[in-house]
Amino acid sequence: MINKQSNVYTIVYITVLVVVVGAALAFTAMSLKEKQQDNARADKMGQILQAVRLTYPADEVIDAFQDFITDQYVVNSAGEKVAGVEAFNVDVAAEAKKPADERLLPVYVCTLPDAGTKYILPLAGMGLWGPIWGYVSFDADGSTIYGAFFDHQGETPGLGAEIAKPAFSDQFRGLSVEKNGQFVPVTVVKKGQKPEGDMDYVDGISGGTITSLGVASMLDGCLTPYKAYLESLSEK
């Protein structure tokens, strides 16, 4: 019989407790893993749909995604389709770190009954405190932005976190990435200022300068590799 006042008893007790709690947590995590993955997929689908101005509750978003997203595929920087890769499974943040000519570039084709075909492209970058990401949809001409969605992992509430609000993303509607026959991504500038040249732009977040610069960098770095693909749409 172990003396309950001894160090041996304490060590054995703590060891058993840690093993039991650890096993319980591992079992719970494994049990919930599939549900968590399903929720993550549904959340991603909802974000993609918001880029074409469609918002649905969580229990309807999967059906809506299947209804409106009529095709999805991956292209390379030459605008050519890449076989054998599912667009939805591409890690855009990881691809964004590669040279442009090595990236897998997902495309989601959306068919809207009242607005025609839209092409949704994903973005990934860095804000002040962590990852930021988004989706930009284009009209069939391959240059006019139809809608946009942005989100973040940990930007400051009331400042950089404002990129997730419609007041910011709605500014992108109707802007163009083509000027005088040249591909020029939309940029983000400090409110009241204008960028050099004639590129389209939106006002950045007041007090969220670094996050705004992160969005501008993300737009340039992630949309430029799609240049050949977008130009192929305009040629149609």
Side-chain angles (χ1 to χ4, degrees):
M1 198 71 180
I2 300 177
N3 182 0
K4 292 185 178 181
Q5 304 301 318
S6 68
N7 291 335
V8 174
Y9 177 84
T10 302
I11 293 172
V12 170
Y13 179 82
I14 292 175
T15 301
V16 171
L17 184 63
V18 169
V19 170
V20 171
V21 172
L25 291 174
F27 176 78
T28 301
M30 291 178 63
S31 300
L32 296 176
K33 184 176 181 180
E34 185 174 349
K35 181 64 175 178
Q36 292 172 337
Q37 291 175 336
D38 290 343
N39 289 340
R41 288 177 62 85
D43 183 54
K44 182 176 178 177
M45 291 178 182
Q47 294 180 12
I48 292 171
L49 291 177
Q50 287 186 65
V52 286
R53 313 179 196 175
L54 297 175
T55 303
Y56 286 88
D59 59 343
E60 298 178 18
V61 71
I62 294 178
D63 289 339
F65 186 86
Q66 293 172 343
D67 288 341
F68 291 106
I69 302 301
T70 52
D71 197 5
Q72 50 182 297
Y73 46 82
V74 173
V75 299
N76 57 26
S77 61
E80 305 162 333
K81 288 187 178 181
V82 179
V85 184
E86 292 189 28
F88 200 86
N89 294 333
V90 172
D91 185 340
V92 177
E95 294 299 317
K97 297 176 182 178
K98 299 178 181 178
D101 60 356
E102 296 179 9
R103 295 186 198 177
L104 297 174
L105 307 170
V107 177
Y108 301 92
V109 183
C110 178
T111 303
L112 301 174
D114 300 324
T117 302
K118 310 299 174 188
Y119 298 87
I120 307 169
L121 312 180
L123 316 169
M126 289 295 295
L128 174 60
W129 300 114
I132 57 176
W133 61 90
Y135 297 89
V136 176
S137 63
F138 287 85
D139 286 334
D141 63 7
S143 62
T144 306
I145 295 177
Y146 179 76
F149 169 86
F150 301 98
D151 208 345
H152 63 94
Q153 179 172 295
E155 298 306 286
T156 307
L159 298 175
E162 295 297 299
I163 64 170
K165 302 290 183 64
F168 178 72
S169 58
D170 287 353
Q171 296 182 85
F172 287 82
R173 296 182 183 181
L175 301 186
S176 178
V177 296
E178 187 274 327
K179 293 292 180 181
N180 301 317
Q182 300 296 317
F183 180 84
V184 186
V186 174
T187 192
V188 183
V189 299
K190 187 175 181 179
K191 190 172 183 178
Q193 296 183 354
K194 293 184 178 181
E196 296 182 4
D198 60 352
M199 67 174 61
D200 281 351
Y201 64 94
V202 302
D203 291 332
I205 303 298
S206 297
T209 301
I210 295 180
T211 306
S212 298
L213 291 173
V215 174
S217 177
M218 177 173 69
L219 289 165
D220 185 15
C222 291
L223 290 182
T224 299
Y226 283 97
K227 175 179 180 291
Y229 174 75
L230 292 173
E231 289 176 345
S232 72
L233 295 180
S234 66
E235 291 171 358
K236 294 180 181 179

